[in-house]
Amino acid sequence: MTRTDGYLLDNRQAEAAERFDAFAALFDPTTFRHLEGLGVGPGWRCWEVGAGGTSVVSWLAKKVGPTGKVVATDTDTSLLTTVGRPPVEVRVHDVGTEEPPGDGFDLVHARLVLVHVPDRERALASMIKSLRPGGRLLVEDGDPALQPLICPDEHGPEQQLANRLRNGFRTLLADRGADLAYGRKLPRLLREAGLRRVEADAYFPLSSDACGALESATVRQIRDRLVGAGLATEDDIERHLANVATGTMDLATAPMISAWGRKP
């Protein structure tokens, strides 16, 4: 397949909001635990990179209060209109190609963003550059190569079909420059960038209603791409969506690896 530019999962598609709701259900508890551990509080200046949905932005806004600021950026901010009021500032911004939207931030956070950014090295450097001395960075990203299956327990034809479609999804991601082994690199990359007190952990949901909702929305969002690339047929997709809708499949996600550290 030839390289195709552009983000595979467009925020303007109808399924995008469903995906962000599923991400919030799956990953917000982990993200909020880490942000609490980093000490986010009143008066903090925060940059939420590739915000997409509103759950993390809203949580940060409550934490920093009226004396703080949350700059929420994305290449498409259409889903952020409801939170675009003080202390939140919403900006259209590409972290991989543009200068940071400010400096002196106490916190910079990105979740499930950098894996999709072609120039990840520049993006990470930009995020670190924008921090004040002592500022905290939290980067959370998937590692589909570490656990590539949507059904780790592949015990029947429904699970086999699901994993075949997941392989097609990974192919489409890689074709657009996604680094499917990025998550595991984060601790090393943060240390090499000069951050201190670097730590990391991983969260791996194995079965939940949110996993099913995420899978359904994702497959519906990319179905034309899968069929067009010869990675699946319309019948494959309809059968898989029907299987997911039964609620009896144990569906997983790729591990989300969270890595954090402080700027000297």
Side-chain angles (χ1 to χ4, degrees), residues 47-50 108-114 127 138-141:
W47 176 18
E48 181 65 17
V49 181
V108 176
H109 172 242
R111 184 173 76 186
L112 305 176
V113 174
L114 296 190
M127 292 161 62
L138 172 62
V139 183
E140 302 180 295
D141 243 312

Side-chain angles (χ1 to χ4, degrees), residues 65-90:
T67 61
K69 186 171 186 178
V70 179
V71 180
T73 65
D74 207 324
T75 55
D76 181 347
T77 59
S78 56
L79 297 177
L80 294 170
T81 55
T82 59
V83 295
R85 56 186 179 277
V88 176
E89 176 186 346
V90 175

Side-chain angles (χ1 to χ4, degrees), residues 131-151:
L131 286 167
R132 65 166 176 81
R136 282 78 155 173
L137 177 70
L138 172 62
V139 183
E140 302 180 295
D141 243 312
D143 196 312
L146 189 62
Q147 195 297 103
L149 303 178
I150 185 72
C151 293

Side-chain angles (χ1 to χ4, degrees), residues 1 164-165 167-169 171-172 222-234 236-237:
M1 297 175 65
R164 180 159 61 84
L165 294 184
N167 184 59
F169 179 36
T171 298
L172 293 176
I222 65 170
R223 66 184 302 159
D224 291 344
R225 307 268 192 174
L226 287 169
V227 173
L231 297 167
T233 66
E234 288 285 359
D236 289 334
I237 291 170

Side-chain angles (χ1 to χ4, degrees), residues 3 11 45 75 106 108 111-112 124 127 134 139 144 160 184 193 195 202 214-215 218 230 245 259-260:
R3 169 69 178 272
N11 286 0
R45 299 183 69 249
T75 55
D106 300 290
V108 176
R111 184 173 76 186
L112 305 176
L124 185 60
M127 292 161 62
V139 183
Q160 292 168 2
R184 74 191 72 178
L195 296 189
L214 177 61
E215 174 67 1
T218 300
W260 58 94

Side-chain angles (χ1 to χ4, degrees), residues 140-210:
E140 302 180 295
D141 243 312
D143 196 312
L146 189 62
Q147 195 297 103
L149 303 178
I150 185 72
C151 293
D153 180 19
E154 190 181 80
H155 66 89
E158 296 88 355
Q159 290 75 24
Q160 292 168 2
L161 173 60
N163 285 338
R164 180 159 61 84
L165 294 184
R166 177 50 56 102
N167 184 59
F169 179 36
R170 295 200 319 274
T171 298
L172 293 176
L173 287 172
D175 191 50
R176 281 159 177 77
D179 182 351
L180 302 184
Y182 189 64
R184 74 191 72 178
K185 302 173 185 176
L186 287 172
R188 171 175 58 84
L189 294 175
L190 267 56
R191 285 195 304 271
E192 290 178 350
L195 296 189
R196 297 177 179 172
R197 302 184 189 177
V198 173
E199 297 183 53
D201 64 14
Y203 175 61
F204 174 30
L206 186 59
S207 183
S208 74
D209 290 343

